[in-house]
Amino acid sequence: MQANHYQHIDPLVLLKAVAQDQEAFCALSRTFLEITPPMLARLELAVRINDYDAISHETHALKGTTSLVGAIHLTSLIQEIEKLARVQDINLVELIPALISQFNLVTEDVEASIQKNDGSAGMKSSER
């Protein structure tokens, strides 16, 4: 897989984490698509109501998940939100549109990476 085919993720990060196991790659990518939308929704709500403890919790969890799929820009944006929450910056809400936009772009790339790798998911590692 060529990482430069994707603009918003680096699939090689996850492939390396799963020792090139494409079945695990696809499974973890699907898990990403399942668990991150509710995480993002909770983070958005926490930002909108200025719940800084919840922001800290959600950014920490979401940051780890986005970094696993190599979503560098999204992870950086989440880190910025986390940093601003520590100082209780009430302007965090201004970052929500960029967060949602970047998240959607990452999701599209993750979906594409699953499609690209799913054909070999049923093969044994010795067949790849």
Side-chain angles (χ1 to χ4, degrees), residues 26-38 65 69 103 106-112 114:
C26 289
L28 285 174
S29 295
R30 285 187 191 95
T31 299
F32 174 88
L33 294 174
E34 291 172 17
I35 67 170
T36 54
T65 307
V69 296
F103 178 81
V106 166
T107 298
E108 289 174 12
D109 272 4
V110 170
E111 288 170 348
I114 292 170

Side-chain angles (χ1 to χ4, degrees), residues 29-97:
S29 295
R30 285 187 191 95
T31 299
F32 174 88
L33 294 174
E34 291 172 17
I35 67 170
T36 54
M39 294 167 79
L40 179 66
R42 289 189 302 267
L43 175 57
E44 180 182 0
L45 176 61
V47 167
R48 292 194 185 282
I49 64 172
N50 296 321
D51 183 343
Y52 298 106
D53 288 336
I55 294 169
S56 177
H57 175 76
E58 295 302 332
T59 54
H60 183 74
L62 191 56
K63 183 175 59 174
T65 307
T66 59
S67 66
L68 184 62
V69 296
I72 297 166
H73 184 68
L74 179 57
T75 302
S76 177
L77 183 56
I78 294 166
Q79 286 174 324
E80 181 65 20
I81 292 170
E82 184 178 43
K83 178 181 164 187
L84 292 173
R86 280 191 217 116
V87 296
Q88 299 188 357
D89 188 322
I90 61 171
N91 297 315
L92 278 171
V93 73
E94 296 172 6
L95 295 176
I96 293 297

